[in-house]
Amino acid sequence: MQGLWSVTTIYVMPARESSLSTYTSGTSGVERLLASYRSIPATATVRLAKPASNLFRARTKRDAPGLDTSGLTGVISVDPDARTVDVAGMCTYEDLVAATLRYGLSPLVVPQLKTITLGGAVSGLGIESASFRNGLPHESVLEMDILTGAGELLTVSPDQHADLYRAFPNSYGTLGYSTRLRIELEPVKPFVALRHIRFHSLTEMIAAMERIVDTQGLDGVQVDYLDGVVFGADESYLCVGVRTTTPGPVSDYTGKDIYYRSIQHGTGIKEDRLTIHDYFWRWDTDWFWCSRAFGAQNPRLRRWWPRRYRRSSVYWKLVAVDQRFGIADRIEKRNGRPARERVVQDVEVPIGRTGEFLEWFLGNVPIAPIWVCPLRLRNPAGWPLYPIQPDRTYVNIGFWSSVPVGTAEGATNRAIEAKVGELGGHKSLYSDSYYTREEFDELYGGESYNTVKKIYDPDSRLLDLYAKAVQRR
């Protein structure tokens, strides 16, 4: 592999000075975090002082200064021999991957957007095309340091404070905030060879997906990455990735070409190749396909849109401006059209019910394309706050757009929640939710959550999960 590695465009493998490479200490950052915690009045809710977020649900108003996490943004150390990395809680995957690729290693699951933080992916949920074999990001966490609602800094692992360790995933900062995480890494290769397989029926696409998950391969070749895109009932694709050291031409989807459009073709299989770096971030340049809402896919505008601003973090800021000033709704009203309901969701449905959900969605919700990504949990015990079964294959189905408002608030989102529940699935909590308290507790480990909450946040300094994920303030 010597001479093939790159995190940008030059294939150079740096020399290893030692088996343990240290980047930042993080000690001063933890001290600032603790100091900021102590400065928050005892009667005030503790929150992060974070100007930006990858969440799409309503954020509660702050009644006091937030926690200072400005010193918790870096990679602390990489141990290439042990294949582990220590990372500060607010480190982005963009920085994390840049550090680990120097050693031919990557996190077991790399969520699709560069500015997702490791702490956020663990306290929320993350998924990507390696999830059919590596599960979810929190399943590769060996240990964490967590600042609890009680102000204690605890190291948690499967053997230390195991109740908090297991309840932390999907708690969204309501049980504490991670200051340091140690995670497993896996070897990767400098290139990914892609096969985009066209299907003319959803049934055939899902059956092929299930075979790949069950056998971990396709045509006798081990598959490393697997996701797909549904453009319609008669046009869907599986994107099969295999890591390789073989050098050769690679595609670039950070310029005029758009990745999701490159997937489409008439019939059969279309092949492509990317560097491993560009594969990890293939969806970020156009925020999957959502950059079209800002005109960034218009060839004339794209020509003048600087590459450094073609990224999910920029589009998210544009969305935040729209939400603050209601720009899109004003435009709709001026043109005599109704306001729009935001439908930005990821759901997990058992693979055996995925076709049923997709057919219902395509017939009832005017949103396309749709992302599909299979997953299986690694941990046989499962995770109490997101209780999908560890011995089953699920399919993450992602759809991110808006529809005309209905007769009731959140009408389309409510219908989606009902359908997902009917099919034995679950929904991520990063966006709008409309469950009753009883429904929410049944779906998201209410009893387990309440028990851990009382132990590690006895004075309720942090928001309750239902209040944070569902209630509006």
Side-chain angles (χ1 to χ4, degrees), residues 269-339:
I269 297 173
K270 180 180 179 181
E271 297 186 348
D272 198 359
R273 281 168 49 87
L274 294 171
T275 66
I276 185 70
H277 172 271
D278 286 354
Y279 178 79
F280 284 144
W281 306 129
R282 68 202 183 282
W283 292 120
D284 189 85
T285 301
D286 284 288
W287 212 10
F288 283 82
W289 31 81
C290 298
S291 69
R292 63 188 177 184
F294 311 105
Q297 295 180 28
N298 182 312
R300 287 178 292 182
L301 182 58
R302 193 177 185 86
R303 178 181 177 185
W304 298 104
W305 193 303
R307 287 192 185 214
R308 66 183 181 277
Y309 296 139
R310 289 187 213 141
R311 51 183 289 143
S312 60
S313 57
V314 171
Y315 306 133
W316 196 98
K317 290 175 183 177
L318 295 175
V319 169
V321 170
D322 173 64
Q323 290 176 350
R324 181 178 179 184
F325 297 105
I327 298 170
D329 284 345
R330 291 182 185 181
I331 293 173
E332 294 296 300
K333 183 177 182 180
R334 182 177 300 173
N335 291 318
R337 296 189 293 263

Side-chain angles (χ1 to χ4, degrees), residues 247-258:
V250 293
S251 297
D252 177 7
Y253 296 108
T254 64
K256 65 181 181 64
D257 295 327
I258 299 169

Side-chain angles (χ1 to χ4, degrees), residues 134-152:
N134 286 338
L136 302 175
H138 59 264
E139 298 193 278
S140 61
V141 174
L142 301 174
E143 66 177 29
M144 292 178 280
D145 293 340
I146 295 176
L147 174 65
T148 69
E152 298 180 288

